[in-house]
Amino acid sequence: MKRAFLGEFEEVVLLTVAILDESAYGVTVTQAIEQKTGRSVGFSTVHTTLQRLEEKGFLSSKMGGATAERGGRRKRFFIVTAAGRKALLEVKQVREQLWEALPPQTLQLMGN
């Protein structure tokens, strides 16, 4: 079976879309990443990553209705697909296996 490989930022974006559920679009994803990670990210970086994840089949999108607050423009909402959920679970399993394999002394601070 082919395993899905995600870059670190792709993983963060995909997780954030999953967390936001039906309210995930470019701005909310960007804001949530900044809030949860303390990391400053550009909207264009997030937008490009959302598009790439959609091309890979990990996300799907649909257009929302036009709103006056956006000057009549519509929002593109993203949701995690079955393939995206599978990719997230695989990444989680790999990370857990790596953490479990880490010798305890590796993370001990000097002098403790």
Side-chain angles (χ1 to χ4, degrees):
M1 176 169 46
K2 184 178 176 187
R3 186 173 253 171
F5 292 99
L6 294 172
E8 185 264 343
F9 192 67
E10 287 179 325
E11 180 183 347
V12 169
V13 171
L14 192 57
L15 277 168
T16 303
V17 171
I19 291 166
L20 291 172
D21 199 26
E22 294 183 9
S23 63
Y25 67 98
V27 172
T28 59
V29 173
T30 302
Q31 291 171 340
I33 290 171
E34 290 181 344
Q35 179 186 21
K36 298 283 185 192
T37 67
R39 179 175 171 179
S40 179
V41 295
F43 172 77
S44 61
T45 303
V46 171
H47 181 71
T48 300
T49 305
L50 288 166
Q51 288 179 323
R52 186 170 54 248
L53 289 168
E54 187 171 23
E55 289 169 6
K56 289 181 175 184
F58 298 143
L59 294 176
S60 64
S61 66
K62 65 178 181 177
M63 296 302 291
T67 61
E69 68 195 31
R70 292 178 44 89
R73 293 182 323 196
R74 299 166 59 186
K75 296 176 186 173
R76 178 174 298 279
F77 290 93
F78 292 88
I79 57 168
V80 180
T81 63
R85 289 190 297 273
K86 182 179 177 197
L88 284 173
L89 287 172
E90 287 176 357
V91 167
K92 182 177 185 259
Q93 289 172 342
V94 168
R95 288 190 185 274
E96 287 173 349
Q97 289 170 357
L98 289 169
W99 278 101
E100 288 170 8
L102 187 67
Q105 69 273 14
T106 303
L107 295 180
Q108 286 182 345
L109 298 175
M110 300 283 290
N112 284 348

